[in-house]
């Protein structure tokens, strides 16, 4: 990219960040609409040789709420006009379970009655609008633990980004949903490879 082209790109990013800040400030008093996530529909997976349960999810205090986060560098803000129907960590876990079911793995999931062989621990690290890049950013750590020994079988970090065309809550949530869909699909494939 030429020097002039790079300057135009930087100017565009600054303008987008400024517009985002202005939009956030102007609609801070707007009533919040409740938005949901959808479960992903990954390809069908072979049944696991073992039962897996979904353990307590982990998230930082800022993520473990009903509010939609906006990150601008090191600063965090709340997206006005939109919220989740429940704590994000619980919502993500529920949609991840549905994603496993959509992959044909309902019988491999320990619903509480059977004794599970493995646990899937989920740690939400990022689930936000990144205002500096105008992208939805989702990052999740998934850990498979053998319950008989407590040994960590495998751990992986899944990160995805998608462009956010507008700061309207519906647009932000649509991009977050798209990124979460990619992450959930990759988590199913990760567990399917290990079990």
């Amino acid at each position: 990219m030429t020097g002039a082209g790079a300057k135009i790109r930087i100017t565009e990013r600054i303008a987008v960040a400024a517009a985002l800040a202005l939009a956030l400030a102007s609609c801070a008093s707007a009533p919040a609409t409740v938005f949901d996530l959808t479960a992903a529909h990954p390809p069908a997976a072979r049944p696991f040789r073992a039962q897996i349960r979904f353990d307590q999810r982990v998230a930082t205090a800022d993520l473990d709420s009903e509010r939609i986060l906006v990150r601008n560098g090191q600063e965090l803000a709340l997206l006005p006009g939109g919220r989740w129907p429940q704590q994000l960590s619980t919502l993500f876990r529920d949609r991840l379970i549905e994603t496993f079911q959509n992959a044909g793995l309902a019988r491999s999931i320990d619903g509480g009655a059977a004794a599970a062989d493995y646990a899937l621990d989920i740690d939400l690290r990022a689930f936000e609008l990144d205002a500096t890049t105008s992208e939805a950013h989702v990052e999740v750590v998934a850990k498979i633990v053998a319950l008989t020994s407590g040994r960590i079988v495998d751990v992986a970090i899944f990160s995805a980004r998608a462009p956010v065309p507008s700061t309207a809550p519906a647009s932000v949530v649509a991009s977050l949903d798209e990124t979460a869909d990619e992450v959930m699909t990759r988590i199913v494939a990760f567990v399917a490879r290990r079990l």
Side-chain angles (χ1 to χ4, degrees):
M1 183 177 285
T2 65
K7 286 181 182 177
I8 291 171
R9 184 75 178 150
I10 290 169
T11 304
E12 287 174 351
R13 284 194 176 173
I14 292 171
V16 167
L20 175 64
L22 183 61
L24 292 176
S26 66
C27 57
S29 61
T33 302
V34 178
F35 292 96
D36 204 348
L37 292 176
T38 57
H41 288 81
R46 61 161 179 77
F48 299 155
R49 296 182 299 270
Q51 289 280 309
I52 188 167
R53 79 175 187 212
F54 291 76
D55 267 1
Q56 291 298 318
R57 63 267 170 228
V58 178
T60 57
D62 50 4
L63 281 172
D64 204 17
S65 77
E66 299 171 2
R67 303 308 302 265
I68 301 170
L69 291 182
V70 178
R71 181 178 298 278
N72 194 347
Q74 295 298 316
E75 297 178 7
L76 281 177
L78 301 176
L79 182 72
R83 67 178 182 85
W84 305 117
Q86 61 192 109
Q87 286 183 313
L88 177 61
S89 59
T90 302
L91 178 62
F92 184 86
R93 176 184 179 271
D94 291 348
R95 297 301 171 264
L96 182 60
I97 291 171
E98 288 178 37
T99 298
F100 274 81
Q101 293 167 341
N102 291 342
L105 298 170
R107 291 186 178 182
S108 300
I109 299 171
D110 174 21
D117 305 293
Y118 297 92
L120 180 64
D121 291 339
I122 297 296
D123 180 3
L124 284 176
R125 287 192 175 177
F127 208 101
E128 63 207 16
L129 165 60
D130 185 340
T132 58
T133 61
S134 297
E135 293 176 315
H137 178 213
V138 174
E139 186 171 287
V140 177
V141 178
K143 182 167 51 176
I144 302 170
V145 180
L147 293 175
T148 52
S149 64
R151 180 178 64 90
I152 296 174
V153 175
D154 205 349
V155 62
I157 300 172
F158 302 93
S159 186
R161 289 179 175 267
V164 178
S166 131
T167 58
S171 179
V172 172
V173 169
S175 295
L176 283 168
D177 194 43
E178 177 186 338
T179 0
D181 185 287
E182 179 183 338
V183 167
M184 288 187 280
T185 298
R186 289 166 58 195
I187 290 173
V188 169
F190 160 69
V191 175
R193 283 194 305 270
R194 297 301 297 163
L195 300 185

